[in-house]
Amino acid sequence: MSAHQNIGTIKHKKFFLIASLITFCIAAFCLYSFLRPAGKINEYPIPLDELQLYADTARSDTISHFYVEYGADSNDSKFWDTEYNGITPKDYLLDTARKLILRDHVLWELAAAHGINASLSYVQKEKDWKAENNKRSHKQQTEQVIYGTEELSMEQYLSYKRTELTDKLKTLLLQTDLKPTEADLRQAYKELPEEVLDKGYFASIVEFSCSDSEIAPRVFEEIHNQIVQEIPISKLTNSLRDIYGNVLSVEIYEITPEIHREDTSLQLIYDICRNLKAETFSNDVEDQNPNIMYYVLEKNDYGQMTYEESGDYAKIKWINEQFDAYLTEMTQKADVEWNLSVIRKIKIT
């Protein structure tokens, strides 16, 4: 082979080597770009697929926000890229998605740090989700009780796990980082709503129901006047049925705290008569059905629970308030890094 041919061969090999190297670099860069996470939270990579899920979750709230605030129509082809008061719906959605995933990831991290089974990997979360659905499907086939739907979407599964992890973490924190003092619990007790502390009541209540709305006011006025005149209910009932027949029905209920909780059909009567005294009518109760009137024959109000009787109510109120602040604080302390070029690949449909 001549020197000229050798030089040509060397140049060809060199060109091929350079071309191969360039191809490899391009491929490596494309692979890196594909595998590059959307960000990191406390050095833990957040894949684009996971952030996409949170972006999908934030979509309806974003549309609602811009409609309420600016009257923006999400059906407009330019909706997502139009600026409203300095921000586009797309940027608002991406910001919301990052806030949601950050808070969730910190919750999962805290749970795992306290010995609770919480998968940080999105791949593992997907496996857990599929396993949960398989378990539900098996229960359905074997006619076992299923709480919630037979099959959960990934979003529903994360909501289910969020509640589960939150409840377990609260229980642990009550004994450790967020253990309340006696003064804390007594203050929480003072702030509990009256309905929570309500011990209920016993009452005999008469329900008068008139199916004819036109004559109902006149019928109830007559009933009211006759009861005021101390005519016995039994005698009154018989005379009314003789006059009005099937148009008027009369029922007597025995209301107790236990019965109204066990029989939800009595909940409305319980609520309407909660603040009525014995020998009074429900005529003035707001939003009551105008075709129905209640009369309280007798009543014994059990009052409100004392601090000693309130059990875990004060503790639950206290930990709920403290936990939200605690999770917010831990979220603010998180080391967060976002790759904006990757985040921009989020699909909004």
Side-chain angles (χ1 to χ4, degrees), residues 95-189:
D95 186 53
T96 301
R98 280 179 285 176
K99 288 177 181 176
L100 291 174
I101 199 172
L102 171 59
R103 192 171 179 87
D104 265 6
H105 187 84
V106 170
L107 171 63
W108 258 254
E109 273 194 352
L110 288 170
H114 284 79
I116 301 170
N117 185 19
S119 302
L120 296 177
S121 161
Y122 185 59
V123 172
Q124 187 58 49
K125 286 176 184 175
E126 287 186 314
K127 291 179 180 178
D128 294 344
W129 163 51
K130 292 174 182 177
E132 176 65 27
N133 279 335
N134 288 337
K135 184 169 65 175
R136 288 169 178 262
S137 177
H138 175 72
K139 285 186 175 182
Q140 175 74 9
Q141 293 169 7
T142 55
E143 299 183 349
Q144 299 181 56
V145 176
I146 299 175
Y147 297 100
T149 59
E150 179 185 346
E151 184 174 354
L152 300 173
S153 66
M154 184 58 171
E155 183 181 347
Q156 289 172 324
Y157 171 73
L158 289 177
S159 177
Y160 158 73
K161 287 299 294 183
R162 186 182 302 118
T163 300
E164 178 188 277
L165 295 179
T166 297
D167 290 344
K168 289 182 177 180
L169 191 54
K170 284 178 180 178
T171 300
L172 289 174
L173 291 173
L174 274 170
Q175 307 302 319
T176 54
D177 298 5
L178 298 178
K179 190 173 183 178
T181 64
E182 180 75 7
D184 291 330
L185 295 179
R186 287 190 176 275
Q187 181 59 39
Y189 165 78

Side-chain angles (χ1 to χ4, degrees), residues 57-77:
T57 301
R59 185 179 185 277
S60 61
D61 285 344
T62 300
I63 291 173
S64 176
H65 170 78
F66 280 88
Y67 177 76
V68 172
E69 292 293 324
Y70 309 106
D73 183 2
S74 60
N75 293 317
D76 187 331
S77 60

Side-chain angles (χ1 to χ4, degrees), residues 9 13 26 63-64 72 121 149 154 197 203 209 211 239 246 250 255 299 310 314 327 333 341:
T9 302
K13 288 182 178 179
I26 292 173
I63 291 173
S64 176
S121 161
T149 59
M154 184 58 171
L197 297 174
S209 178
S211 59
S239 65
N246 294 331
V250 182
I255 301 292
K299 186 177 185 184
S310 64
L327 184 56
K333 290 181 177 179
S341 60

Side-chain angles (χ1 to χ4, degrees), residues 69-325:
E69 292 293 324
Y70 309 106
D73 183 2
S74 60
N75 293 317
D76 187 331
S77 60
K78 298 179 180 179
F79 170 75
W80 291 104
D81 296 311
T82 301
E83 276 198 12
Y84 298 91
N85 199 23
I87 188 170
T88 65
K90 182 176 183 179
D91 288 335
Y92 181 93
L93 179 143
L94 294 176
D95 186 53
T96 301
R98 280 179 285 176
K99 288 177 181 176
L100 291 174
I101 199 172
L102 171 59
R103 192 171 179 87
D104 265 6
H105 187 84
V106 170
L107 171 63
W108 258 254
E109 273 194 352
L110 288 170
H114 284 79
I116 301 170
N117 185 19
S119 302
L120 296 177
S121 161
Y122 185 59
V123 172
Q124 187 58 49
K125 286 176 184 175
E126 287 186 314
K127 291 179 180 178
D128 294 344
W129 163 51
K130 292 174 182 177
E132 176 65 27
N133 279 335
N134 288 337
K135 184 169 65 175
R136 288 169 178 262
S137 177
H138 175 72
K139 285 186 175 182
Q140 175 74 9
Q141 293 169 7
T142 55
E143 299 183 349
Q144 299 181 56
V145 176
I146 299 175
Y147 297 100
T149 59
E150 179 185 346
E151 184 174 354
L152 300 173
S153 66
M154 184 58 171
E155 183 181 347
Q156 289 172 324
Y157 171 73
L158 289 177
S159 177
Y160 158 73
K161 287 299 294 183
R162 186 182 302 118
T163 300
E164 178 188 277
L165 295 179
T166 297
D167 290 344
K168 289 182 177 180
L169 191 54
K170 284 178 180 178
T171 300
L172 289 174
L173 291 173
L174 274 170
Q175 307 302 319
T176 54
D177 298 5
L178 298 178
K179 190 173 183 178
T181 64
E182 180 75 7
D184 291 330
L185 295 179
R186 287 190 176 275
Q187 181 59 39
Y189 165 78
K190 292 178 182 179
E191 296 171 0
L192 285 169
E194 289 185 3
E195 57 267 24
V196 173
L197 297 174
D198 184 13
K199 292 166 67 174
Y201 65 90
F202 163 81
S204 291
I205 297 171
V206 186
E207 179 188 73
F208 299 98
S209 178
C210 183
S211 59
D212 189 333
S213 58
E214 291 186 3
I215 67 170
R218 187 173 76 249
V219 173
F220 292 157
E221 184 179 2
E222 184 177 341
I223 293 171
H224 185 283
N225 293 336
Q226 292 195 43
I227 290 178
V228 169
Q229 294 173 24
E230 299 185 355
I231 296 176
I233 291 294
S234 58
K235 182 178 179 180
L236 173 61
T237 300
N238 291 332
S239 65
L240 290 171
R241 282 173 176 161
D242 290 339
I243 299 172
Y244 298 106
N246 294 331
V247 173
L248 181 70
S249 65
V250 182
E251 296 285 346
I252 298 179
Y253 297 98
E254 299 289 317
I255 301 292
T256 67
E258 294 76 19
I259 288 178
H260 103 269
R261 282 191 287 265
E262 295 167 2
D263 185 352
T264 54
S265 66
L266 298 177
Q267 182 67 51
L268 179 62
I269 300 175
Y270 182 90
D271 292 340
I272 289 175
C273 299
R274 179 66 193 90
N275 296 318
L276 297 180
K277 297 180 180 179
E279 301 182 354
T280 59
F281 299 87
S282 65
N283 306 62
D284 297 328
V285 175
E286 189 176 352
D287 297 329
Q288 185 190 324
N289 186 335
N291 288 6
I292 297 177
M293 180 177 72
Y294 297 102
Y295 175 70
V296 182
L297 280 170
E298 58 176 314
K299 186 177 185 184
N300 181 18
D301 197 317
Y302 299 139
Q304 292 193 323
M305 289 182 283
T306 63
Y307 171 73
E308 288 71 23
E309 293 172 325
S310 64
D312 288 335
Y313 286 115
K315 190 178 292 185
I316 292 171
K317 181 181 187 304
W318 191 87
I319 189 60
N320 285 344
E321 292 176 351
Q322 297 300 314
F323 182 80
D324 285 342

